Amino acid sequence: MQPRLTDLLKAVRPERALFTTFTLSLNWFESFCLPLLKLEGCEHIDLLVDSREACKLSAETSSAYAGNTYRVMPVYMNNSGIFHPKVAYLQGTDDDTLVVGSGNLTAPGQGGNLEVIDAVNAADHPHVFEQFATFLDLFAKRPGLAEDTLAVLRTYALRARYAAARASEEVRAAAPTAWLIHTLVDPAHIQLGKLVEDELDNPSQLTIFSPYHTGSGKAVAAVTDACGVIRTRIGLQPERSPESGELILVAPFQPDARYLPKNHGFVTAETTFAPRRLHAKCFEVLGSSGCVVMTGSVNATWQSLCDTRNVEISLARKLEHSPFSWKAAKPDVAVPCEYAAQDYSGPAVALQASWNEEEITGTIAPAPEAGQVRLEVWSRLKMEFPVDAVVLNADGTFRVKTAQTCDTVRALRLKVLRHDEVLAIGWLNVERELACPAYERDVSRAAASIVAGKPKEGDLRRILDYFKRILRRERALAEQATAQAASTASVDVGKRADAWTKTDQERLGVTPGTAEQVLAAAFATLRERARQPTEGAGSTPAEFDPAHGDDEAARPAGGQQQGRKPPQRKRRPVDDPFSEMLKTLPAILAVNATGPWMSGLISRSAGALLHQVPREAEDPDADGPLAGDEERVVFGRALRQWVGMYSQFAYSAENRTRLLPLVCAVAGCAIVFGGTEVSVPRLKENLETLAQRPILDHELLDWVDDALGTPPFATLDPGERSLALEAALTLGSSGTTQQDLEALVLAVMTGAAAEPGGPEDARFERYAGVRKVLADLWTIRERTGKGRVFGVISAAVKPLTRRTRCPACDTPLESRDMIARLQRDGASLHDGGCNMPVFVGLSWKVLAAAQVPRTAYDYEGPREAA
């Protein structure tokens, strides 16, 4: 058993932690607990606190981390009870630990008072963890809890059951020696009495050590009867006499406490410390077969011990001997000591609020009258921004979209007002920050600053360092795999640990020196460029080359051939460092696209491109086409390339959810500006590649509608936004390129189409890139009648290379031009080979269902299950 909570944090080194407390000092928690948790790599921290005490926390405006490093969740008690447990659930790598104590998360509770603390792990006490999971399930049924709180409770309930299930069968089958006692169903004194009856022979003596008592002694009498003991001892509170200043022992009862058991006495606790304020809660029952000890949050008051209005948790153990030393004593004076809640002049309600991307949600309990309210986001003593005309529902919930942004480095508070009257104040949980692992949180904040256009030098350096770390980590994994496969390995002691290698060069598409120079130059000047109102105007971002056409993949970032000599120290200055950064970003995403902050940089990339939207010529009556028409088509192609580029990476599920509205809206804009030069089916295919599933019409429309109101699209005029929304309808009703290509191939192979490209069938007109391939397929089919006439490469074959085998003739493709056509159009003739048509991504199931003869084609790669 460790003496303090901070000692346990050092010993356990948790990956995730849940804390519950009645009173809370944010300054203490952030000064003592939080640094230890961050040092040990704890990635998620959740904190439940009684709502009345949480209301008082709004005065602690100096908090730096509430809501952005750990989640604050106030708990409203609607039955005059209090939320009183003092628990820490510490999720470890190999085992979980449950800490139950009497001390709150305050300086007195963790160092100044005389407290008690106990802890059990899941490997030795799985039954306690199952009981804790049951407690969380029951607690989640209480009214007034926000959805975020419910999600956290369910997460820890699942984890506790998982941790219990991992215990050995021998431990699980053994008789338990520890039990969790909570007050959600039965009073604590009833549970303690039942435990004593089941576990102890001849219970004889009960010792109660508690700071608070019912003045009449009624609660002491009730627990004495429940435990069936002969004698009861009560702990005395040491206090200094107001007259003499000497330490005196105070009996916490009325002088005529008529309910105290007849056979009772008094004790003090023998400790090695100087006398301190008593705040420990301990119930010890001795019997002939050992003792049962209950410690935790339960006081010796009627409401805490003999009722279920409070939420209390204690841990009971069966031991051979008492772990405490008691000394008989006599009280100097009797003074009732029953807990009375401190008054709070502000709104005594619980406000749990979260900021998730562009949406603020919250729950107020108890629910005020429904109607319109105003939100204000505050950082310390400064209001960052308001949100007007917010609908507050009858159940106390609200949800509002906002395009506003602010610095989230410091903790944010949310005020809910109606007619200038404050209804509730609470800490705002910033989900983007909380979703990041601890080591990425600073990077996330840096990325948010860049997206907001207010980066600091430190922010820019963090992103640069993280980009380099991604590459080093990938290299280390590759080197580790090589070392495991080799029987011997040599170490190059002369290489710097952070040196970039040829592998890094291949991933980035540029030499290491150039990559580092580009990133450093981009980040070093980005702050100054962000101040310019026309950032990025007048040039096309470097990752887009409109000359390549609508469907051609962007070239590798940097454009420098591999194997060339790295640039020397004196280099030509980068003309457009911001565009160079955007050029490097896809290369980094190709290595690792899972960082929670990556979506912010991608949004910034979209905003920089959309800022360059060309405008029509000022004289619409001028002869000939408008001067801006060609520019707008080229811009549409650039948008199309952007969608193709940023749809392909291996994003995390969270990043996909964040990016789908943005990318869908950019696709809509590509249709608006590019017109017929942009392939709608190919855009639809890109979006479904990003979503990793078919996209429904209505959800695509909702995504585009939501995204068009966000900052990246601020440069579009209302008419262009309206057209982009109409384009979403076109996207929704369109098939993908694969689906259209399948239909065209089936039309040829089943004889349902005349010669492709002829006036008889207009379905082929919009597929100019594949018209000749389909015409040749028609000719070969007509000429041969039987036998193999085409080949299909599965979409799972990635990437296509010169060594990829042609399914029609089983020889390597070889031709770079053919690979480019397959990537762009999904179809090509095998030049220099069999000269037969080859298609990419056609479904084997679709071909089989249409009864295309199996002898007519061959298939390269895995087939879908029938």
Side-chain angles (χ1 to χ4, degrees):
M1 185 182 299
Q2 299 288 340
R4 293 182 299 181
L5 175 61
T6 50
D7 295 321
L8 280 165
L9 296 180
K10 294 177 186 177
V12 176
R13 304 178 65 181
E15 298 174 341
R16 182 168 188 153
L18 169 69
F19 297 91
T20 67
T21 187
F22 174 53
T23 60
L24 171 64
S25 167
L26 293 178
N27 291 334
W28 180 87
F29 184 75
E30 293 179 6
S31 298
F32 293 92
C33 277
L34 194 58
L36 282 174
L37 292 166
K38 293 176 69 176
L39 181 65
E40 301 301 342
C42 188
E43 296 182 358
H44 299 281
I45 305 167
D46 303 294
L47 201 157
L48 289 163
V49 59
D50 184 87
S51 62
R52 281 158 294 195
E53 296 299 318
C55 289
K56 302 173 187 177
L57 298 177
S58 60
E60 291 195 51
T61 57
S62 60
S63 171
Y65 302 106
N68 62 29
T69 301
Y70 59 93
R71 186 184 303 276
V72 182
M73 298 170 286
V75 177
Y76 174 70
M77 302 292 293
N78 59 357
N79 58 356
S80 73
I82 61 176
F83 181 74
H84 198 244
K86 299 94 165 52
V87 170
Y89 188 102
L90 309 178
Q91 177 179 318
T93 304
D94 302 317
D95 198 5
D96 290 5
T97 301
L98 181 66
V99 184
V100 180
S102 62
N104 291 296
L105 295 178
T106 62
Q110 299 297 324
N113 296 337
L114 180 61
E115 305 279 4
V116 64
I117 187 170
D118 198 359
V120 292
N121 60 3
D124 296 331
H125 299 280
H127 301 289
V128 174
F129 283 75
E130 291 171 349
Q131 292 165 346
F132 184 66
T134 301
F135 164 80
L136 294 175
D137 290 339
L138 291 170
F139 185 66
K141 296 179 181 179
R142 298 180 70 89
L145 295 178
E147 281 299 323
D148 294 340
T149 303
L150 295 175
V152 169
L153 295 174
R154 295 184 190 114
T155 296
Y156 283 100
L158 287 171
R159 176 65 192 191
R161 288 195 172 92
Y162 169 75
R166 291 200 302 177
S168 68
E169 288 298 327
E170 181 181 0
V171 171
R172 293 179 61 82
T177 59
W179 301 265
L180 194 72
I181 290 179
H182 63 78
T183 58
L184 294 185
V185 178
D186 296 316
H189 79 294
I190 298 296
Q191 298 176 65
L192 179 61
K194 181 68 166 58
L195 193 59
V196 169
E197 179 183 353
D198 293 342
E199 300 296 329
L200 285 186
D201 296 332
N202 306 314
S204 57
Q205 180 173 270
L206 167 66
T207 302
I208 301 174
F209 203 54
S210 172
Y212 300 109
H213 285 259
T214 300
S216 64
K218 188 177 180 180
V220 171
V223 71
T224 298
D225 290 343
C227 293
V229 295
I230 302 171
R231 177 177 173 79
T232 301
R233 302 187 301 179
I234 302 160
L236 296 175
Q237 172 86 16
E239 292 184 6
R240 293 202 174 271
S241 169
E243 291 82 14
S244 64
E246 297 290 330
L247 278 174
I248 59 174
L249 297 177
V250 179
F253 303 105
Q254 299 164 357
D256 58 344
R258 56 195 180 97
Y259 288 108
L260 285 179
K262 292 183 179 180
N263 192 11
H264 75 271
F266 297 95
V267 294
T268 58
E270 292 188 291
T271 70
T272 58
F273 305 104
R276 292 184 290 176
R277 177 179 177 269
L278 171 62
H279 195 257
K281 301 104 163 84
C282 173
F283 296 78
E284 176 192 271
V285 183
L286 296 180
S288 60
S289 57
C291 69
V292 169
V293 177
M294 182 180 78
T295 58
S297 71
V298 178
N299 281 299
T301 62
W302 187 266
Q303 180 165 317
S304 179
L305 181 63
C306 306
D307 204 336
T308 58
R309 281 178 291 171
N310 288 0
V311 176
E312 307 275 7
I313 290 183
S314 286
L315 187 66
R317 285 183 183 264
K318 182 180 180 182
L319 305 168
E320 293 183 3
H321 307 285
S322 171
F324 304 107
S325 297
W326 308 108
K327 181 180 179 181
K330 291 184 178 181
D332 297 308
V333 65
V335 179
C337 185
E338 187 159 5
Y339 178 79
Q342 298 177 1
D343 293 333
Y344 171 64
S345 58
V349 298
L351 169 62
Q352 167 133 7
S354 296
W355 188 5
N356 194 346
E357 300 300 329
E358 292 88 21
E359 186 177 65
I360 296 178
T361 61
T363 301
I364 303 176
E369 181 181 350
Q372 270 198 2
V373 295
R374 167 189 171 93
L375 307 182
E376 292 180 353
V377 176
W378 287 72
S379 175
R380 303 192 73 175
L381 299 177
K382 173 189 174 185
M383 186 182 76
E384 295 288 346
F385 62 85
V387 184
D388 295 317
V390 178
V391 176
L392 179 65
N393 301 314
D395 61 355
T397 61
F398 58 86
R399 181 184 298 271
V400 61
K401 293 186 179 298
T402 176
Q404 296 276 13
T405 186
C406 69
D407 192 352
T408 56
V409 173
R410 298 199 64 86
L412 299 177
R413 291 174 299 141
L414 186 70
K415 292 184 180 181
V416 182
L417 304 94
R418 177 182 284 151
H419 307 307
D420 296 329
E421 176 190 357
V422 178
L423 297 181
I425 304 175
W427 296 101
L428 185 58
N429 294 315
V430 183
E431 299 299 332
R432 182 189 66 245
E433 298 272 348
L434 294 170
C436 291
Y439 69 90
E440 283 193 1
R441 193 165 285 122
D442 290 341
V443 180
S444 175
R445 292 171 183 165
S449 297
I450 292 174
V451 173
K454 303 174 182 177
K456 305 178 182 65
E457 291 295 340
D459 298 331
L460 307 173
R461 174 55 56 183
R462 288 188 187 97
I463 299 292
L464 171 60
D465 290 343
Y466 192 81
F467 275 15
K468 293 168 67 176
R469 185 192 305 171
I470 287 175
L471 297 174
R472 290 199 301 271
R473 183 167 51 198
E474 291 294 318
R475 185 181 73 241
L477 291 174
E479 290 176 349
Q480 182 180 2
T482 302
Q484 290 174 348
S487 58
T488 60
S490 60
V491 179
D492 183 2
V493 296
K495 184 177 294 184
R496 287 172 36 225
D498 62 346
W500 291 22
T501 67
K502 187 174 185 297
T503 303
D504 302 331
Q505 174 182 335
E506 292 172 355
R507 288 181 181 277
L508 279 176
V510 296
T511 63
T514 299
E516 190 163 350
Q517 177 208 17
V518 165
L519 286 170
F523 297 143
T525 60
L526 183 56
R527 179 172 61 178
E528 183 175 348
R529 288 179 58 80
R531 297 194 189 105
Q532 301 174 11
T534 57
E535 180 183 81
S539 63
T540 302
E543 77 263 45
F544 307 112
D545 186 352
H548 285 185
D550 175 39
D551 291 316
E552 186 166 349
R555 292 178 295 180
Q560 185 171 335
Q561 295 180 359
Q562 299 175 22
R564 294 180 59 185
K565 183 179 179 180
Q568 302 300 315
R569 184 176 299 275
K570 292 183 179 180
R571 304 181 178 96
R572 183 175 59 85
V574 178
D575 293 332
D576 191 351
F578 183 70
S579 293
E580 293 294 336
M581 185 194 73
L582 298 184
K583 181 195 301 183
T584 309
L585 178 59
I588 295 297
L589 291 169
V591 179
N592 187 325
T594 60
W597 49 275
M598 283 294 192
S599 59
L601 293 181
I602 296 171
S603 175
R604 182 71 169 170
S605 170
L609 178 60
L610 287 162
H611 198 89
Q612 302 168 35
V613 56
R615 297 303 177 194
E616 294 182 348
E618 295 182 0
D619 183 10
D621 297 324
D623 293 334
L626 295 176
D629 282 354
E630 184 176 349
E631 258 188 304
R632 290 169 71 85
V633 170
V634 170
F635 182 65
R637 291 175 180 169
L639 293 172
R640 163 69 187 86
Q641 283 186 260
W642 189 96
V643 173
M645 171 70 74
Y646 288 101
S647 298
Q648 63 180 325
F649 301 112
Y651 298 110
S652 64
E654 294 78 9
N655 276 347
R656 291 184 189 280
T657 301
R658 296 186 187 104
L659 288 172
L660 272 168
L662 172 76
V663 179
C664 289
V666 175
C669 293
I671 296 173
V672 171
F673 290 98
T676 57
E677 296 293 320
V678 171
S679 168
V680 176
R682 180 55 59 86
L683 280 174
K684 182 71 171 289
E685 188 173 285
N686 290 145
L687 298 181
E688 294 194 347
T689 296
L690 175 62
Q692 295 188 337
R693 62 173 176 82
I695 296 177
L696 302 178
D697 298 3
H698 70 274
E699 61 183 353
L700 194 148
L701 189 65
D702 289 342
W703 287 339
V704 174
D705 191 21
D706 291 343
L708 288 173
T710 59
F713 302 89
T715 52
L716 301 181
D717 61 39
E720 289 164 340
R721 291 196 190 95
S722 177
L723 289 173
L725 202 56
E726 291 180 15
L729 294 173
T730 303
L731 274 169
S733 60
S734 171
T736 65
T737 301
Q738 175 187 333
Q739 293 167 340
D740 284 357
L741 199 55
E742 285 169 351
L744 294 174
V745 171
L746 292 179
V748 172
M749 293 303 298
T750 58
E755 182 177 356
E760 304 89 348
D761 198 335
R763 288 179 296 174
F764 298 94
E765 288 302 314
R766 58 177 175 168
Y767 289 96
V770 300
R771 191 181 305 151
K772 185 179 186 310
V773 180
L774 292 168
D776 282 6
L777 175 64
W778 184 86
T779 300
I780 294 172
R781 185 187 67 83
E782 288 293 303
R783 184 176 67 242
T784 62
K786 294 181 180 180
R788 185 176 303 169
V789 295
F790 70 98
V792 178
I793 300 175
S794 169
V797 177
K798 292 182 179 179
L800 294 179
T801 68
R802 295 173 62 188
R803 293 186 296 275
T804 302
R805 305 192 74 79
C806 170
C809 64
D810 198 32
T811 62
L813 297 178
E814 290 294 343
S815 170
R816 295 183 185 274
D817 290 339
M818 179 183 179
I819 293 170
R821 289 193 296 270
L822 289 173
Q823 291 174 330
R824 183 187 65 208
D825 302 327
S828 175
L829 296 177
H830 187 187
D831 298 334
C834 61
N835 289 322
M836 285 190 179
V838 177
F839 301 93
V840 173
L842 303 190
S843 170
W844 174 77
K845 289 192 297 184
V846 170
L847 295 174
Q851 298 182 345
V852 175
R854 182 63 187 82
T855 56
Y857 67 95
D858 205 353
Y859 200 92
E860 174 73 12
R863 301 181 183 183
E864 316 98 302

